[in-house]
Amino acid sequence: STYQAWIRFSNQDGTIQADKARDIRGMAIKLMGVPGDKLLDSERHEQTQDFIVISTNVFVTKDVQEFDALIKAMTGSILSKIFFFATHWRVIWNLVTSLKKFANPLQMRYWSTTPYLFGNTAVKYSAIPHVSNPDAVPSDPGPDYLRQAMVRQLAQGEAVFDFTVQLQTNADSMPIEDPGHEWKESESPFRKVATIRILQQEFDSEAQRVFGENLSYTPWHSLPAHRPLGGINRARKIVYDAISTFRHEYNKVPRKEPTSWDI
């Protein structure tokens, strides 16, 4: 099957900063025209399915409790930061290795980090780009050079990704409840199940920027067959809904799922 989709690229940091800053980047995919009842009661009859992937292959913490402690430390005193990081070495490693500079969001690999139901097993997702001549980070990058790189590439041609799944083959070495633990590709390689094709286009308009601002993505925009798994995903169900509700109330725009490419 072929599905139309809206794809939004984003950053992780909660503050507005120049693109040259090290950060985690995100790719959120919203398929349209997907039949079947969905998981969210309030949107059970919507015809959309979301997939959310980011530019690192592991989540920064092992569970919700540790993530909550990380946020409190990052927003707390110097002593709270020292105490947290002195006792959470893996969090430091995951943060250091995930915060990177990138040249072009259309030429990066993305991972789900968290698992999802897949038949009688679980999978993680990865979007792998087709890149023949990769861009380099500019020597003197402007504050919006990542957007400019995307504009330039899509003005010249399309962007293509393989959408892949990694099957859980060992519950001990590939845990559901600890997304901070890497599922080794040597143990279970990613397998292609679909092609993402972003057509040649002009997307850098104010109308599309506003439209993208008011889209809502969540792993729980999903068919039961692809149900999100693990504590981090269970927390996302609450947090993503609260953020979306706040943003739409603040922008004074109703929240609704798209049904086509028309803005």
Side-chain angles (χ1 to χ4, degrees), residues 164-182:
T164 65
V165 298
Q166 181 187 32
L167 295 171
Q168 184 196 44
T169 56
N170 186 312
D172 294 325
S173 61
M174 306 171 77
I176 295 293
E177 293 294 341
D178 182 2
H181 180 90
E182 180 186 4

Side-chain angles (χ1 to χ4, degrees), residues 11 13-18:
N11 64 287
D13 199 283
T15 59
I16 297 175
Q17 57 185 359

